Amino acid sequence: MATTTSALGGAIRRREDPALIQGHGRYVDDIKLPGETAAAFVRSPFARAKVLSIDASEALAMDGVVAVYTAADVDSLGPLIAQLSFAPRPLLNGGEVKHVGEAVAMVVAENRYLAQDAADLVFVDYDPLEAVIDLKDAHSDRVIIHEGSESNTIISWAAPFGAEPEDQQAVRDQIEADKSRDDTVVVSQEMINQRLIPTAIEPRRVLAEWNPGYRSLNVWSSSQIPHALAGGIAVSLGLPTTSVRVIAPEVGGGFGAKLNVYNDEILVSWAAQQLARPVRWVETRREAANSTIQGRGWVGTATIVGTTDGEILGYDFDGIADMGAYTQNFTVAIPFLGLFVGSGQYKMPTYWKIDCVATNTTTTDAYRGAGRPEAVYYLERIIDMYAREIGMDPADVRNKNFIPNEAFPGAVSPIGFAMDTGDYSTNLNELLEVADYAGMKAERDAARAAGRHVGIGLSSYVEVCGFAPSGLADLGFNWATYGLPTAFNGSGLVRVNPDASATVIIGTGPSGQAHQTTWAQIVSDRLGIEVDNIVVKHGDTGDSPMGIGTFGSRSAAVDGAAAYQAADRVREKAAKLAAHLLEAAEEDVVFADGGAHVAGSPDSSVGWGDIASIAYQVHKAPEGTEPGLESEVFFTPSNATWPFGSHLAMVEVDADTGNVEILRYVSMDDCGNVINPMIVDGQVHGGIAQGIGQALFEEAIYDADGNLLSGSMVDYPIPTAGDLPAFELHRTVTPTDVNPMGVKGIGEAGTIGSAQTIVNAVVDAVAPLGVTHIDMPLRPRRVWEAIQEAR
Amino acid sequence: MEVSLTVNGQAVTSEVEARTLLVHLLRENLGLTGTHVGCETGYCGACTVHVDGTPVKSCTMLAAQVEGAEVTTVEGLANGELHPVQEGFWERHGLQCGYCTPGMIMTAAGMLADNDNPSEDEIRHGIEGNLCRCTGYHNIVRAIEYAAAKMRGDEPAAPDWEVV
């Protein structure tokens, strides 16, 4: 039994596109229900304050206002207990609000205009308290944010992971001892990895409908995790999980912002139940900025001690990470994900520690890369500074310190994690060759000689993706608090229908990643059924197997593997049926061209229609055949995957204005095998753009009172087409051995590889002027000021 | 108040409030949900439609302002066929989540109506008023180049990937 046609690896056009390019995509706000109402929230203008009273009488007196709810109405539902939750978020806060934008009341009205009008008429009396906005100030515990806590530090993560504290300290002591050796240099820099706002172009939306007869809820939400959301709603409302159906239709971008069970999702569902009318909530852009999660927000010091000839003897990272006011789904897990890649793909002994600290700001959580861009940023910036200090090419320093190929299989990072596969030097060297690194350096030097400020930046990276192994559930990576004690398994159902078409139902859904195309390719590869004859369904908890969601570059490597195995099981049964029809031995059956034939005799073939026909009419099949032709598979890999790569950029700085122009951007990513190169390229493009956005433009800025000054798209400039160059993408291919397709995941690679590549390039450009470091974002003013200070 | 206009070639009359935005007239009253709202500040461009042939951001225009105007939305751009820009977005992977796409397509179509042979730089600056968070714009630029070639009757440049 074998398959001779393969759809894997083909750049087929996306099957999602015809609807989306003609305006026929259906996002949550495009779905209308009879009798709808609209919700709006009343939100705190203070970063920290006691709510003394709420007067909703004027709002309630307005024509068209259906209800106003405050904390007292929803106290019985309890706070929102998110996964890994140390500081639960109240659904509506009637006590002490802890960040600007926190919801204190919800208005429901006949339409969204009225709901907003009424929200403006809800008068809340606050007693403002001292808020703690600055991360270091919060870390000092001068003011404790959460009553009853002894410290604003919620949890600390340290590595080598799993080692006893004294063994961790021993690594640090050795690094300290190496510093005083005669033949070593020490490079150390405090750096900020600033807070970002994910900024999906579709803000979040929720629509809920209660059926009093069935006592069941239908909830449409722009969510990356519909199954967890169904569980979270059920737990809060005291319903069986089977009574809540969540549908995530088209999702207009996620990037981690939609990877949470939010209080508004619970409240809108609850209100629909209370009112027995559908309730819709449409997030405004400002709410997306200050009430949905933000990302990043680290301050830390990276230190390298190494020899003068480029051998890194030790790496020390000591940081604090801003959790914001509450801990949500993965808030405290994000720095932990950074820890996983704290030592990158390098072999030096590493001490790595981070304190997770509460502040009176919007909660942080996963934003594309989620801990890994931050960790890689510090490491790759300090390696660059070390290379500059010893006068060695940064590529040579990296090559000298990579974990060598001989370490695989069985490589364990200095941080303490087993890595699947890697070939780091080949990847870097191919980048240098394809980009003509030597030529770029000559070009840079010539430009410098002509008085221009041109620089080259390089970064390698490793990431950890497909975060699914069952054992990780013990570290909190499960949905138990949503009533669903499951590890982060992949899932998929593959069904060949009586008409020989195939239906694939997956437990994860896209927010732009083209699951309908990719999964059709996977199943087509296994069964030989044409892609156009395969339908892929996703995003509806009512008909899909328990699924975890699309985040952490996990869908293809985990859920894709489940569909792959499910298709294989269908094929095993189909081979028996085909052998019966062909009067041949099962092992001689070959699947190709939409059917099966006997090996060596393609003329004697049966179609999938013939096979399906007897599968559903088993009196024509071998004795004992069960009717039907489908399989549902759950998949857990033996390890996460460890994609890697190297990025290279050339920039020019205008020393008079501080403006940065990107002249070239070249990447060499390795995500293992590739299912659809067009889609993989697209993921890298978007990832790089977001990393460049962090490097050059984006920052969530708070004033001293905790007001978010960058709460609109005017004040929070994500890159435009005019800000970015065309990207030159390349790949090496080092398949993983932890899933049957050898795919590692690509959703976050571009972001993880790019921010420090740009910063390294800008610093290289202005290094001759005496600049050694500039904190992101490298907006013109900041670059200009750094140049002035250095002069 | 009542507003009368032509939308995608059809005469329509609709009851609106004085403050009703054009985008809400299109989406809520007329059911044309292909036009999206992303920022309510005129910055992201997801709501771009054509008013009397010119791309405008329909979240910064009142419904009352389009009395008597001809409005084209993404649904009516090619009336069931594919406009070259739509074809380009499909052929060159110019979209991922698709949320910015209708606005991006309407801006690109307006730009190419004025100039069917733009440089890459002109394309990039021409779509600066439309934000995309997924694609990094690389393939959007390629998609618009594809459309421009088609509109000129030229053969579009080969894609970055091998076609199967």
Side-chain angles (χ1 to χ4, degrees):
Chain A
M1 184 178 81
T3 301
T4 56
T5 51
S6 177
L8 285 188
I12 65 168
R13 290 185 307 180
R14 300 201 328 164
R15 311 173 74 216
E16 291 85 346
D17 289 358
L20 298 177
I21 59 180
Q22 296 182 89
H24 302 310
R26 286 291 171 266
Y27 302 81
V28 173
D29 203 25
D30 303 336
I31 295 158
K32 303 292 173 208
L33 299 177
E36 268 189 30
T37 61
F41 289 94
V42 180
R43 297 185 181 278
S44 171
F46 295 105
R48 192 177 186 202
K50 291 270 186 224
V51 177
L52 300 178
S53 64
I54 299 178
D55 178 1
S57 54
E58 271 195 55
L60 282 165
M62 259 182 69
D63 277 350
V65 171
V66 178
V68 179
Y69 299 113
T70 61
D73 299 305
V74 297
D75 271 354
S76 63
L77 304 181
L80 182 56
I81 307 289
Q83 201 57 34
L84 297 162
S85 194
F86 295 84
R89 166 187 287 282
L91 292 176
L92 292 171
N93 198 329
E96 183 188 303
V97 293
K98 290 191 172 59
H99 69 89
V100 171
E102 182 169 5
V104 296
M106 176 171 68
V107 175
V108 181
E110 292 296 337
N111 66 52
R112 64 183 70 174
Y113 283 63
L114 287 174
Q116 193 55 57
D117 288 345
D120 292 343
L121 291 178
V122 175
F123 294 99
V124 185
D125 193 10
Y126 295 96
D127 180 16
L129 302 170
E130 182 178 13
V132 187
I133 309 303
D134 180 76
L135 182 54
K136 285 185 178 174
D137 187 23
H139 191 233
S140 76
D141 289 335
R142 184 181 61 81
V143 176
I144 298 295
I145 290 170
H146 285 277
E147 201 178 334
S149 297
E150 290 179 0
S151 169
N152 292 324
T153 297
I154 296 166
I155 194 170
S156 300
W157 304 109
F161 187 66
E164 295 298 325
E166 55 267 31
D167 295 329
Q168 292 171 345
Q169 188 58 40
V171 175
R172 200 169 207 194
D173 291 343
Q174 182 59 49
I175 293 170
E176 206 55 40
D178 286 337
K179 285 181 182 174
S180 53
R181 271 170 49 173
D182 292 342
D183 60 341
T184 59
V185 298
V186 180
V187 184
S188 189
Q189 179 71 46
E190 182 179 272
M191 293 178 257
I192 296 169
N193 198 282
Q194 80 274 28
R195 287 174 74 119
L196 301 177
I197 302 172
T199 319
I201 305 297
E202 181 202 32
R204 295 188 305 106
R205 284 90 169 75
V206 189
L207 171 64
E209 173 188 43
W210 170 252
N211 185 313
Y214 287 110
R215 296 193 54 75
S216 67
L217 266 171
N218 286 340
V219 180
W220 290 261
S221 183
S222 184
S223 175
Q224 294 171 244
I225 49 170
H227 285 271
L229 176 56
I233 293 169
V235 166
S236 285
L237 271 55
L239 295 167
T241 53
T242 46
S243 296
V244 182
R245 176 184 175 192
V246 171
I247 301 163
E250 298 292 349
V251 175
F255 315 116
K258 299 170 181 176
L259 168 50
N260 250 286
V261 174
Y262 283 99
N263 57 335
D264 45 66
E265 294 174 309
I266 307 278
L267 290 165
V268 166
S269 300
W270 174 80
Q273 185 189 35
Q274 294 296 304
L275 301 169
R277 288 180 67 182
V279 180
R280 172 188 304 277
W281 173 66
V282 175
E283 186 183 58
T284 65
R285 181 54 60 183
R286 181 161 290 276
E287 289 176 305
N290 69 12
S291 303
T292 284
I293 61 97
Q294 300 180 357
R296 316 267 195 269
W298 291 16
V299 177
T301 300
T303 305
I304 273 180
V305 55
T307 66
T308 50
D309 64 349
E311 185 189 355
I312 303 174
L313 299 174
Y315 172 56
D316 181 310
F317 173 74
D318 193 347
I320 46 180
D322 195 341
M323 303 293 97
Y326 299 104
T327 56
Q328 292 190 198
N329 206 17
F330 288 128
T331 300
V332 299
I334 303 309
F336 181 58
L337 289 173
L339 175 146
F340 265 73
V341 296
S343 55
Q345 65 274 64
Y346 302 99
K347 61 189 178 191
M348 71 275 167
T350 298
Y351 173 83
W352 202 96
K353 173 180 171 275
I354 197 156
D355 290 343
C356 302
V357 175
T359 59
N360 285 117
T361 60
T362 299
T363 294
T364 61
D365 201 307
Y367 167 56
R368 199 171 192 169
R372 291 152 290 173
E374 298 92 315
V376 170
Y377 177 80
Y378 284 96
L379 176 58
E380 292 291 330
R381 273 292 295 131
I382 202 70
I383 286 178
D384 224 59
M385 296 178 77
Y386 168 60
R388 193 174 302 284
E389 176 73 21
I390 61 172
M392 194 164 160
D393 190 289
D396 294 338
V397 172
R398 288 179 170 85
N399 260 325
K400 187 162 183 161
N401 291 282
F402 282 146
I403 293 171
N405 288 0
E406 306 85 80
F408 294 96
V412 176
S413 73
I415 286 283
F417 294 102
M419 304 166 87
D420 56 350
T421 55
D423 183 357
Y424 306 126
S425 281
T426 300
N427 175 271
L428 173 57
N429 293 335
E430 287 199 16
L431 171 67
L432 301 179
E433 187 176 332
V434 74
D436 185 20
Y437 184 53
M440 286 171 77
K441 288 198 286 186
E443 191 182 331
R444 172 195 61 188
D445 295 344
R448 277 185 185 164
R452 294 165 60 200
H453 304 284
V454 172
I456 295 171
L458 177 67
S459 171
S460 293
Y461 69 89
V462 69
E463 51 170 336
V464 56
C465 297
F467 215 70
S470 190
L472 291 171
D474 291 345
L475 296 176
F477 295 93
N478 65 69
W479 289 151
T481 54
Y482 304 134
L484 302 164
T486 171
F488 285 178
N489 307 310
S491 64
L493 183 153
V494 174
R495 173 187 300 144
V496 176
N497 301 306
D499 66 354
S501 63
T503 302
V504 184
I505 309 176
I506 58 180
T508 180
S511 39
Q513 299 87 350
H515 289 39
Q516 290 185 37
T517 306
T518 304
W519 266 252
Q521 289 184 267
I522 293 168
V523 172
S524 178
D525 172 73
R526 303 318 295 160
L527 300 183
I529 295 176
E530 298 237 347
V531 163
D532 288 344
N533 216 10
I534 300 171
V535 166
V536 179
K537 299 173 74 174
H538 57 72
D540 184 342
T541 65
D543 68 9
S544 61
M546 173 69 216
I548 302 305
T550 293
F551 57 87
S553 309
R554 65 183 298 284
S555 272
V558 188
D559 294 89
Y564 181 100
Q565 291 187 335
D568 272 0
R569 291 188 193 172
V570 167
R571 194 173 68 171
E572 282 166 24
K573 179 168 182 179
K576 289 190 174 68
L577 301 176
H580 175 75
L581 290 168
L582 292 164
E583 297 177 353
E586 197 182 317
E587 53 272 22
D588 292 336
V589 171
V590 173
F591 285 90
D593 303 328
H597 62 263
V598 178
S601 313
D603 294 344
S604 159
S605 68
V606 293
W608 272 100
D610 305 314
I611 297 167
S613 172
I614 67 167
Y616 288 93
Q617 304 176 73
V618 289
H619 62 283
K620 299 175 184 172
E623 183 86 24
T625 302
E626 242 180 52
L629 194 51
E630 68 180 66
S631 173
E632 179 175 298
V633 167
F634 286 81
F635 175 78
T636 182
S638 55
N639 190 359
T641 63
W642 300 76
F644 57 92
S646 298
H647 288 199
L648 184 63
M650 190 173 207
V651 305
E652 177 159 10
V653 176
D654 182 333
D656 293 331
T657 65
N659 189 59
V660 175
E661 185 186 358
I662 302 171
L663 303 176
R664 264 187 94 184
Y665 199 100
V666 195
S667 75
M668 183 72 69
D669 298 288
D670 194 322
C671 62
N673 288 332
V674 167
I675 298 170
N676 185 319
M678 177 189 84
I679 290 168
V680 167
D681 280 359
Q683 289 295 308
V684 177
H685 288 150
I688 293 171
Q690 290 187 14
I692 292 174
Q694 175 168 23
L696 296 183
F697 309 116
E698 299 176 29
E699 183 174 26
I701 303 170
Y702 285 90
D703 71 10
D705 295 324
N707 297 298
L708 179 63
L709 303 179
S710 55
S712 79
M713 289 181 119
V714 181
D715 310 303
Y716 189 86
I718 69 170
T720 71
D723 295 323
L724 299 176
F727 304 122
E728 304 168 47
L729 306 191
H730 304 277
R731 272 188 284 278
T732 53
V733 178
T734 309
T736 182
D737 54 6
V738 306
N739 65 58
M741 286 189 291
V743 301
K744 286 193 170 187
I746 193 63
E748 297 156 296
T751 309
I752 294 168
S754 51
Q756 65 283 354
T757 298
I758 295 295
V759 176
N760 286 346
V762 172
V763 171
D764 185 53
V766 294
L769 302 175
V771 177
T772 56
H773 176 70
I774 315 173
D775 276 321
M776 300 185 289
L778 307 186
R779 293 182 184 174
R781 177 175 174 161
R782 196 170 282 186
V783 175
W784 184 85
E785 284 176 349
I787 292 170
Q788 302 313 308
E789 280 169 29
R791 280 174 170 166
Chain B
M1 61 183 291
E2 214 166 65
V3 59
S4 295
L5 65 159
T6 304
V7 179
N8 297 334
Q10 290 196 318
V12 295
T13 298
S14 191
E15 183 68 30
V16 297
E17 288 184 56
R19 64 175 174 172
T20 302
L21 299 172
L22 173 56
V23 68
H24 288 148
L25 165 68
L26 295 170
R27 289 179 51 83
E28 313 283 331
N29 298 26
L30 304 178
L32 294 167
T33 57
T35 302
H36 297 152
V37 180
C39 71
E40 317 103 25
T41 52
Y43 206 74
C44 81
C47 64
T48 305
V49 301
H50 292 181
V51 175
D52 295 329
T54 302
V56 301
K57 293 177 176 178
S58 62
C59 81
T60 53
M61 198 164 186
L62 296 169
Q65 290 175 280
V66 294
E67 173 69 34
E70 286 201 21
V71 172
T72 306
T73 70
V74 69
E75 292 95 335
L77 183 61
N79 292 316
E81 304 290 306
L82 288 185
H83 184 279
V85 174
Q86 290 169 313
E87 187 184 319
F89 271 67
W90 192 12
E91 293 288 341
R92 292 296 179 267
H93 190 27
L95 63 150
Q96 291 180 28
C97 83
Y99 198 78
C100 77
T101 308
M104 195 70 82
I105 285 174
M106 297 308 285
T107 295
M111 175 170 61
L112 295 183
D114 293 338
N115 174 10
D116 67 6
N117 197 12
S119 66
E120 173 164 348
D121 203 47
E122 286 172 323
I123 293 172
R124 286 184 178 274
H125 289 290
I127 58 171
E128 269 182 333
N130 291 71
L131 299 177
C132 170
R133 194 61 155 164
C134 293
T135 65
Y137 306 102
H138 182 103
N139 283 336
I140 290 177
V141 174
R142 298 289 171 262
I144 296 170
E145 288 172 342
Y146 175 103
K150 282 273 178 165
M151 288 167 76
R152 296 192 306 269
D154 293 344
E155 186 65 27
D160 291 350
W161 49 85
E162 190 184 339
V163 177
V164 293

